[in-house]
Amino acid sequence: MSKKVGLIGYPLSHSYSPMIWQKLFEQEGLTEFSYELFEISDIRQVLRLLDDESVIGFNVTIPYKREILNYLQELTPEAQGVGAVNTVVKATGGKLIGHNTDAVAFECSLLNFLSGKVPADAMILGTGGSAAAVKYVFEKQSIPYISVSRSKKSTNVFTYEEINLSAFEYPKLIVNTTPLGMYPNVHEHPPIDFKKIKPKSYCFDLIYNPEKTLFLQKCENQNAFVHNGLEMLHLQARKAWEFISKHSL
């Protein structure tokens, strides 16, 4: 029987995952494996994948990294720490185990990007499942940070209106975890004041399609260093396969 791995989320037209995973399978000589996009508009539609015996595991992206938690029987310590899951493994007996490979992939890609120059503070744009992985890494690396959202979710979260006030100084590290600017909506960007970005700041966008989002273009215009999420995508895919292959090979 052929075996399937895939990705759930909505929308998925931007995803490079099938290409990356197919290359991974070819490198491993795994001709019986395939990777598919399972675009679902409601998390309850995941039930058909859970019942499909040919699906041995799947990745999870926006907007379901937290919603998927209700369908799992076990979380790894890192998934528990992050509070979000981006990889689900079907283990023995059908047990569903949630992993988070975003955190380790982001940490590795971030440290490569910074080349040892860890900034004194940081700003995270967005408060979803991907932002949770970024927070986890910042806390691990002892990098103070603030979170930014469209609405005031808690005392620890700033709104875009607040950070755009003249008295507010932008940190030297800014990470965009929102889908703003992702293909096909390439003319969008988070509503920050780009003139407040200091030269030689580090601006990281988790989006990888397009290669250089409007956010990164505007940051680069302020003489900031920029980095997209493609390296992170490759790293998290490799780590996700490590988890899935333990139960399928």
Side-chain angles (χ1 to χ4, degrees), residues 38-185:
F38 302 114
E39 188 171 82
I40 58 176
S41 57
D42 188 302
I43 188 59
R44 290 171 293 185
Q45 294 171 330
V46 77
L47 290 171
R48 63 183 175 86
L49 298 183
L50 303 183
D51 292 335
D52 187 338
E53 293 184 0
S54 67
V55 178
I56 59 172
F58 53 89
N59 295 129
V60 185
T61 190
I62 294 172
Y64 302 126
K65 292 185 179 183
R66 284 178 172 148
E67 291 187 36
I68 193 65
L69 297 176
N70 296 324
Y71 295 83
L72 308 178
Q73 285 82 53
E74 184 180 322
L75 297 178
T76 62
E78 192 156 65
Q80 288 180 342
V82 174
V85 161
N86 77 322
T87 302
V88 175
V89 176
K90 286 185 178 179
T92 305
K95 178 192 285 188
L96 300 173
I97 304 174
H99 298 261
N100 189 295
T101 66
D102 279 340
V104 64
F106 172 71
E107 182 175 30
C108 182
S109 189
L110 176 69
L111 295 178
N112 288 342
F113 175 42
L114 296 176
S115 300
K117 302 177 182 69
V118 180
D121 52 3
M123 182 163 70
I124 304 170
L125 307 180
T127 53
S130 297
V134 173
K135 290 179 186 179
Y136 181 87
V137 171
F138 283 168
E139 289 166 6
K140 180 181 175 183
Q141 292 290 330
S142 299
I143 300 174
Y145 65 88
I146 63 166
S147 297
V148 184
S149 180
R150 289 171 293 182
S151 58
K152 193 75 173 176
K153 298 179 183 293
S154 71
T155 55
N156 296 323
V157 176
F158 290 76
T159 64
Y160 287 101
E161 289 79 8
E162 287 174 324
I163 68 164
N164 288 339
L165 293 173
S166 58
F168 188 97
E169 282 198 29
Y170 280 15
K172 292 292 288 286
L173 173 59
I174 302 172
V175 181
N176 177 41
T177 71
T178 78
L180 294 170
M182 184 172 68
Y183 176 86
N185 302 311

